[in-house]
Amino acid sequence: MRSLTVDGLGPVSRIGLGTWQFGSREWGYGDDYADAGATAIVRRALELGITLFDTAEVHGPGKSERILGAALGEQRDDVVLASKVLPIAPFPKLVRKAWQGSAQRLGVRRIPLYQVHQPNPVVPDTVTMKGMGALLDEGRIGAVGVSNYTLDRWRLADEALGRPVISNQVEFSLAAAGPLDDLVPFAEAEDRLVIAYSPLAQGLLGGKYGVDNRPGGVRAMNKLFGTENLRRVEPLLAVLREVADAHHVAPAQAALAWLLAQPRTVAIPGASSVEQLEFNAAAADLDLAADEVAALTAAARAFDPQSTVSTLAERAKEEAGPLLERATPVLDRVRQALKR
Ligand SMILES: NC(=O)c1ccc[n+]([C@@H]2O[C@H](COP(=O)([O-])OP(=O)(O)OC[C@H]3O[C@@H](n4cnc5c(N)ncnc54)[C@H](OP(=O)(O)O)[C@@H]3O)[C@@H](O)[C@H]2O)c1
């Protein structure tokens, strides 16, 4: 497994494992997954040399951390565990309390990468980073990271911490390529790390979903699975399939390999099965040719998803259409009967 060396963290595998799915009802994977499937995925990830495991106090909430900590067992201190504080009121005392909860659930005394889950729109980073800095000084965490930060806010967080905030975890995939423009060049110039979340666009880049086969749960709210966007993404998926076919790999693997072709970038795909995890891990060793990377980048940049679509409303309308059509004669008969 290829890795990147990151200050304060040591080697970080370029493919990590995202664990939001563990114990989270919104993915709809059920109890068997939480009880056994998730553990099997973590054990296999360790065997395959994955060292980066991402979680958050809010996933589950708390369940993802518990399941991950238990599944890692004795090896939990040998990997780069990454968790996150939800900064609702990120005052130093509360940041410490959140850290304590996460460390306890994970079963560790030190969390290698502790991230601020999202920028607080009201509380500045000068406040949040006081608590994070104290944890760093005491060795309770190995490095400070942020998540969902713009480049400007990442720089402000640096200033507030008085040291480099080592990573920024952001939505980044062929279907959400914005970080290419600013975060990736910054990470490359400053030796930081971009951690790509939803690197498979929540399964869209696996190539199996379409208008007649859409995922439910939390993904029913994802605009990318709306009818219009499923249409708009087709040209991108066509290029992805072509590149994948040329290497005899699955589309998901080519999508991950494209991310890993970007400097200072690692990806943390979630997995619903051990088989998916194995596919994703193998992508770390897949080298795309420069012209393939360029073709995928061009297709990613050309993809212009509709941003205002409400997938639920859209779907309700679509599903109601045929139902209403079928119901019309019945309603007409009822109306006639009432008139009589
Ligand atoms: N910091 C944040 O705000 C934030 C936000 C979101 C996520 N995250 C982190 O990022 C991680 C990953 O993001 P994500 O789970 O949103 O999206 P993702 O990794 O893009 O998608 C994961 C889903 O894609 C499908 N999949 C995985 N491997 C596949 C393969 N080889 N072929 C085909 N389909 C495959 C699986 O769903 P099916 O099999 O059911 O289709 C899986 O649950 C999360 O677990 C979490 O740790 C962080």
Side-chain angles (χ1 to χ4, degrees), residues 18-21 27 29 54 84 117 147-148 169 197-203 206 208-209 219 252 268-270 272 276 279-280:
T19 66
W20 175 13
Q21 286 77 355
W27 279 83
Y29 289 163
D54 181 72
K84 309 181 199 87
H117 206 138
S147 177
N148 298 303
Q169 182 179 135
Y197 78 67
S198 302
L200 298 173
Q202 297 202 329
K208 78 175 176 202
Y209 293 114
R219 289 179 282 183
I268 48 166
S272 61
Q276 281 184 351
F279 269 93
N280 298 343

Side-chain angles (χ1 to χ4, degrees), residues 20 54-59 82-87 113-121 125 128-129 132 143-155 157-158 165-172 179 183 193-198 268:
W20 175 13
D54 181 72
T55 182
E57 61 171 343
V58 74
H59 296 334
S83 194
K84 309 181 199 87
V85 52
L86 190 67
L113 178 61
Y114 200 43
Q115 307 155 99
V116 181
H117 206 138
Q118 57 198 50
N120 186 303
D125 290 308
T128 314
M129 289 301 162
M132 299 294 275
V144 173
V146 290
S147 177
N148 298 303
Y149 271 48
T150 60
L151 179 54
D152 284 350
R153 186 98 189 219
W154 193 357
R155 289 185 203 272
D158 267 359
V165 169
I166 212 69
S167 61
N168 192 358
Q169 182 179 135
V170 289
E171 183 180 6
F172 187 17
L183 300 181
L193 188 64
V194 172
I195 301 179
Y197 78 67
S198 302
I268 48 166

Side-chain angles (χ1 to χ4, degrees), residues 15 17 33 36-45 47-48 50 200 206 208 249-250 252-253 256 269-283:
I15 292 288
L17 178 66
Y33 178 82
T39 301
I41 287 169
V42 172
R43 300 307 307 169
R44 186 71 182 124
E47 282 170 9
L48 293 172
I50 286 179
L200 298 173
K208 78 175 176 202
V249 298
Q253 293 175 296
L256 292 173
S272 61
S273 65
V274 169
E275 190 191 13
Q276 281 184 351
L277 177 270
E278 288 171 345
F279 269 93
N280 298 343

Side-chain angles (χ1 to χ4, degrees), residues 214-230:
R214 294 190 246 208
V218 68
R219 289 179 282 183
M221 310 292 285
N222 183 337
K223 67 177 167 62
L224 291 175
F225 292 100
T227 305
E228 174 59 16
N229 284 338
L230 286 172

